[in-house]
Amino acid sequence: MAFAGDGEDAGDPVVLEITDTSSAAASGAPSLPCPAPVCVSYLARFDPLPSPTVAVRADRHRLIESSSYFRALLGGSFSESGRAYVQVGCNLEAAVQVLRYLFEPSESFTITPDNFLPLLEGALFLAVEGLLVECERWFRTMCSQTSATIVPLDFIIEVWYFAQEHGVTFVQDICPEYLAQNLAHVISRRSFNKIPYGLLCSTIECPHLTVDSEKQLCEAILYWVSENTKPCERPNPNSVDDHLFLLSKVKICLLPLEFATGTKRHWFDFGSNTVCTILNLLKDSLKTLMDAIADGNMEGYCIRITEYSKNIVLSGCPQITTAFLYISVLPTYLDVSFKRRIVSSYTQVDHQSLILYDELEKSAKTLLFRNVHMVDLSKCPNVHFGAAIDWLKLAFPELRILKALYCLSFQFDDLLYLLLRCPWIDEIDMAIDKSTITPRQSVVSSSSEVLGKLKRNSRKYYISCPSYDRQPNLVFLNISRLTLEGRDDIDDVDLLKISVLKNSLCYINIRNCTLLTDDGISNFLLKCTKIHSMIVSYTSFGNRSIQTLHDMTFNIQELHLGGCKGIDAAAMSQLMGMINNTTFLCLRETSLTDDALCKFFGSSLEYLDVSETVVSMSSLAPVIRRNCNLNCLKTAGCRSLLFERDKVEHISGNKYGDFLQEIGSTCLEDVEMGWGFCPIQIEDLIPSFSKVRNMAVGLGTTLAENVLHSLPVICPFLESLTLRFQVISDRVVRNLLESSVNLQVLCLHYCLGSLTSFIFQAKAPALRILCLQWVTPWITNDDLTILTKNCNLVELSLSGCKLLDSSCQEIIASGWPNLVLLHLEDCGQVTLGGVSSILNCKALEDVLLRHTGRGIRRSIVDDAIRELPLLRKLALDLCDACEEGYDSPSNAEGKMMRSLRMSRCKTLRGSCLELPSEGSSKPVHKDTVVLEWSSTRMTTTIVKERSVILFQKKRECNKSIKPPLFYAWFEIAGYDV
């Protein structure tokens, strides 16, 4: 601000009568008496301004010195120059803001988003050069802030339109730069689709365009185009060209395969071209990159990394090799020959890569990106992680989080190498799928062999490994979270090596690490005393580990022990008495009893899972009562929760027991219920279920139709619903699909009721996962066609749909091209003509085909691995083989494959479990051959399949379910009962 003081103290005052010419009302308003003049300081009191005219007393000399407009008007040869009363017609608000800026003290007047545009308009109209400079300085400062929440997107759009109309060049430079730097945040704003085309183009073409992933950019463009295209009008050729121009800026070779296939649903040409590009890269990325170097067109293959980047997400990109990583951090000035060496060496990592790395490191030939805190390389099977770790060290000195989920090529040795090379990392997640072999299955035989083509990191042997017992080890003071879930190739020795992180490790996830022993886990806990969160479900965690916890001062905040069968009742009781500060507690499928749970006096629980245990309401209700912040409660399979009526009344005086009475005071978001919740009335659910997002209802609870029909009202935020052994109807399912606008997951297992194809006519745009297990035997190809038009699925599971034929493959593949999971069991003749259309769903990661038609060829396994780059799980049945069996995979190493299951059946006649029927003959599972890959080994196991487990489940069910209904449930599943 140029001056201080007030206009009324001026030696040569002039009265400005300012009439608002921007107001439509003002032009048609009758003439009013001239308002009394006020001083400038009085203007701040007007709210709103007295329209259409304001008279202001101001200093003539200050106006002349500050404004070219007033210099000409008051100091020139115009007739008004000598007058004490001058009339001005302009935007009243703009003129008032300018006068306040000129005459109010600088400390009392500031530029804000609310007054910026009036100030800018007034500065332009009244030619106040100093204010124009101040506006530009303020706008540049605002748009240079690191947080994108400071500048509202609506404000940016409004300023852009104003600048376009008035030719304000600094705004046209700053707006695209700001949006480009903050696009990752701006995309989520509601007004993103209102960004003008010109501004969006300038943003995308900005060299500082910053997004977490190419997918994020492409999603934003497709959303903008969809919102700015009116389907009821014939498209304008110019607008079509504009849309194509926007999409041409996407680096399609860097898009995740699942996302690329999904774009085919509404953008078929674009999606098909993208998928073809990705598949061609998978065939020969080396030639493609070499050609790009020769053509000087490497930019289209470089990952978008700028000085403003915080996250780099490449998850789900099987086409990405290590060469893509390195070329993205090379300076542009490097010569072509060096780039060719980089691409050649890092496409197939070899000893030459070590020489190149030394050259890169010593000559500082890579760029540094200090703001990058997270890199996600999940589902990138063609990345060599030894070389990738070197890349992380070279380019990202402030990296805090590395995600590499479902990457079997990320070996344990690579983890140790990462700890040595990048000790500043705080969090590492290298989880893989758990083994498909469950403890309940009976193992007939098992053998394993070491993989022969391991991608070993030879460089790590040149780095001296520190002593794991050194005290203290200052190198490893940062890593606090480590996830090894599913890594069934990690043993006690490996876990002991990880204890080098003892000074910093707070969170450990070793769920389903089946090679670890209780002794190994105990020894690890003895060293890593700072751990407060442990995910050890389905491991050998047992009595000794609990004793270790007891002997130490652990402050456990999160403890997951699901499926840990090595804990006896006494140890469990001991454990319950020492974890009273826990907020997340999972004890499902353990030896938990009422006596043990009664020893838990904690009041901080937010998550509690006691499913498949023998606890009763007498011990569970007090826990719920003390923990008022509980938002997740899982009690499925707890048969002891269901008391006889006299016992229930003895406890609480009402027919529900203390359970529903106590959960009425909580506000649950995630609930699984079975025994003990029946009967239930709507009014008993509304208080505590009003915020439920995930609900599973299983055996032991029968929800009445009026309750099921009211779920969208009871649970307005419902996102996931699983119903097992319930009685449902068209009215219920149709209402769920239409009224639960947030519903993404719907799973119906073994439900009875009069469902018809009417349910598929409901539109459910949010639905992504649909599982129909033995509930819709009447489904036809036409029903599937209708379903593809009404929802966009990524996972589909169907069982018992015997009317489907081979034509449904094409319906599924074209309707849901981005499917990642497809399970078809006892589904008519779907595979009678082969599986060619299924293999066109290129994003599939999990495929199960059982009893779907004898038409699957011997080469199915190799064909699936070759055609489906992200495939991790494949389950087949020999009943469907058209050539007397399947060939074992010849080239699964280094791919995504985690498990292959091949089931064998036998025909059971006259079973003692069978209901009497003449000529009865059904195929039942005999056993299953399971091939499982880890990062180092392939294990072949033969297991008994469902017969034993199913018989046990029948016995459990039969205790409480009336025989006709009991038999009906299993008969619809196709089992002998």
Side-chain angles (χ1 to χ4, degrees), residues 47 157 275 528 590 697 735 755 835 960:
D47 186 20
I157 295 172
V275 171
C528 299
T590 64
V697 182
N735 186 57
L755 292 183
V835 293
S960 56

Side-chain angles (χ1 to χ4, degrees), residues 164 232 286 328 440 495 501 505 540 665 706 720 724 760 784 796 798 854:
Q164 291 290 99
C232 58
L286 176 59
S328 302
R440 292 183 177 183
L495 194 61
L501 308 175
L505 192 64
S540 296
S665 62
N706 67 323
S720 174
R724 293 184 174 88
F760 292 151
L784 277 183
L796 175 65
L798 299 175
R854 191 181 293 271

Side-chain angles (χ1 to χ4, degrees), residues 200-220:
L200 187 58
C201 283
S202 300
T203 298
I204 293 174
E205 292 182 310
C206 179
H208 292 138
L209 179 63
T210 303
V211 288
D212 294 345
S213 65
E214 205 66 23
K215 171 189 173 183
Q216 193 177 49
L217 174 62
C218 190
E219 273 183 325

